Amino acid sequence: STTGNVAFQLGDTVKFRIITSVPDVSRYPNGYTYIVHDTMTVGFTSKVTTDKTSVSIVIDNDPTDTLAGDYYTIALNPHADTGETSHFDITINISQAIADGKIQPGDKLYINYAAVLNEKADFYQVGQKHNTNTAQLEYSNNPNVDTDKGKTPEKKVYDWTFKMGVNKVDETGKALTGAKFALSKNGALKVADMGCNDEGIPTVATGLIGMVKVNDGVYRVAMDGDTNVVYVIEAGDPVIKGLDDTIDYYLYETKAPGGYNLLSEPVQFKISASYVADGSNYTSVTVMVGTAVASNALSTNIVNKTGSTLPET
C-alpha cells in the first residue's frame, strides 16, 4: 500500500509499505525461503539501495520494535528495458530471526521503503495511465522438498499525477501571447517581491515552483538535480505537468501582454480526483479555478484587460 495519497507532484517522495505474516517454520529444518519481490514502473526512482537503512522492517507496526539488518539482505535488479534500478528483492532470514527470539509465528512485518516520482512518470490523460508499484512474496511451501516454492498473488498500488492548461485571452476570448506566469503553492506572495526584470523573469524565486520546459508550450515540475530550471511559463496556452490533486496552486502573472494590465492577484486553482477502491482508475477528475464551478477540462482561461491602471476622474 502507499502510506499517503494516491497522487503526487513530480519530485515528491512516495512512501510504500508491504505487510507480511511470519509463518511457522518448525517443519523446515534446512531453512525457510522468504523473499519480497518489488517492481516499480520507470516513473518511480526507487530510494531502496543495498544499504539496509533504506528500508525498515517494523514488527507488528510498533515503531520501537524493528528487525535488525542482520536478518535481511537487499538485492537490486535493473529494468530489462531501461537498465534503471527500480526492481529489488528483500530476503529475510525468518528461521534465524525466530530462533533468536526477534520475531515469532503470527507476527506481522511492516516493510517500509520509498521512491521519488520522476520525470518519466505517466500523466493523467496520457491514455489515462498511472504509475505502478508491484510486490509479491516468494516462500517455501513444502517441508519435504527444499526447492519447492510458492508465490502470493501480486499486489499492485498506483500513483497518479496531473496536468493543467493555461489559456491567456482578452475580454472577448481572443487568444493573447506575451504573458508570463510563475507557479506557487503560496497564495500570499507579491509579484513586486520577485524582482522581475523587463521580461517578467523573477530574480527572487523564494516560494516559487521550479519548472522545466519540455518543448514549446509544455512544462513539467522540476526535480532535484535538474539544471535547466525556469520559474515562469510563457502564455499562449501552455500546459504544466506533474501536479498533485490535493494542493492549492497559484499562478502569478509577472508580465502582461503588450497593451494589457498586469493581474493584481494570483489565479488560484486546485485539481481534485476520486478513484476506485484500489486506486487503479479514477471516477472523476475536475479542477476548480478560484470560486468558479468545477470543470473536467483541466485548463482555465486567464483574462487580461486593457484600460487605465490609474484611478479615473
Side-chain angles (χ1 to χ4, degrees):
S1 64
T2 55
T3 57
N5 301 323
V6 179
F8 291 85
Q9 182 177 291
L10 279 195
D12 282 352
T13 295
V14 184
K15 296 181 179 180
F16 296 104
R17 180 177 65 194
I18 299 170
I19 304 173
T20 64
S21 295
V22 176
D24 180 356
V25 301
S26 59
R27 296 177 60 202
Y28 294 84
N30 297 323
Y32 189 92
T33 296
Y34 199 90
I35 307 172
V36 172
H37 302 286
D38 187 278
T39 302
M40 303 177 189
T41 52
V42 295
F44 290 115
T45 300
S46 174
K47 298 185 76 170
V48 175
T49 70
T50 54
D51 182 345
K52 294 175 183 179
T53 63
S54 64
V55 304
S56 68
I57 301 179
V58 180
I59 301 166
D60 283 337
N61 207 24
D62 179 355
T64 66
D65 191 8
T66 59
L67 189 65
D70 297 342
Y71 294 99
Y72 60 91
T73 60
I74 303 171
L76 307 180
N77 302 295
H79 278 296
D81 54 343
T82 67
E84 296 179 4
T85 305
S86 290
H87 177 111
F88 63 87
D89 303 321
I90 300 176
T91 301
I92 302 175
N93 192 338
I94 290 288
S95 297
Q96 191 63 54
I98 292 175
D100 292 348
K102 304 300 181 180
I103 56 177
Q104 59 185 354
D107 283 348
K108 299 291 186 182
L109 301 182
Y110 289 70
I111 304 170
N112 301 288
Y113 56 100
V116 173
L117 191 65
N118 67 39
E119 72 279 4
K120 295 180 181 178
D122 284 323
F123 301 96
Y124 167 76
Q125 289 187 336
V126 182
Q128 282 73 49
K129 291 181 180 179
H130 40 60
N131 307 283
T132 306
N133 186 18
T134 303
Q136 185 178 49
L137 176 66
E138 181 181 358
Y139 58 93
S140 296
N141 68 351
N142 187 343
N144 301 311
V145 182
D146 291 344
T147 56
D148 280 3
K149 306 291 187 293
K151 289 185 177 181
T152 62
E154 289 185 338
K155 173 65 176 179
K156 295 179 183 289
V157 292
Y158 307 89
D159 179 74
W160 297 78
T161 191
F162 296 89
K163 64 182 182 180
M164 179 68 177
V166 180
N167 309 313
K168 170 56 64 175
V169 297
D170 67 9
E171 293 177 277
T172 68
K174 177 184 175 182
L176 298 175
T177 60
K180 289 186 174 68
F181 286 92
L183 180 67
S184 179
K185 298 178 185 179
N186 185 347
L189 299 179
K190 299 296 182 184
V191 172
D193 296 332
M194 298 178 189
C196 297
N197 63 18
D198 291 342
E199 293 302 313
I201 309 298
T203 60
V204 179
T206 304
L208 302 182
I209 297 174
M211 292 169 283
V212 171
K213 187 174 182 179
V214 179
N215 50 53
D216 285 346
V218 180
Y219 299 79
R220 66 163 174 82
V221 173
M223 302 177 55
D224 289 344
D226 283 330
T227 57
N228 51 343
V229 177
V230 298
Y231 288 95
V232 292
I233 60 173
E234 302 176 22
D237 55 351
V239 172
I240 306 170
K241 293 183 174 182
L243 302 175
D244 199 346
D245 69 347
T246 60
I247 291 174
D248 288 309
Y249 290 102
Y250 298 86
L251 286 165
Y252 288 87
E253 189 172 49
T254 62
K255 182 182 179 183
Y260 291 81
N261 295 334
L262 195 71
L263 297 182
S264 59
E265 298 292 334
V267 176
Q268 179 268 339
F269 70 91
K270 183 177 183 178
I271 299 167
S272 298
S274 300
Y275 308 90
V276 298
D278 68 355
S280 62
N281 208 341
Y282 59 88
T283 54
S284 69
V285 181
T286 60
V287 65
M288 179 175 288
V289 181
T291 58
V293 176
S295 165
N296 61 8
L298 291 195
S299 66
T300 183
N301 287 344
I302 298 180
V303 179
N304 274 114
K305 299 179 180 180
T306 59
S308 174
T309 58
L310 300 174
E312 295 180 343
T313 60

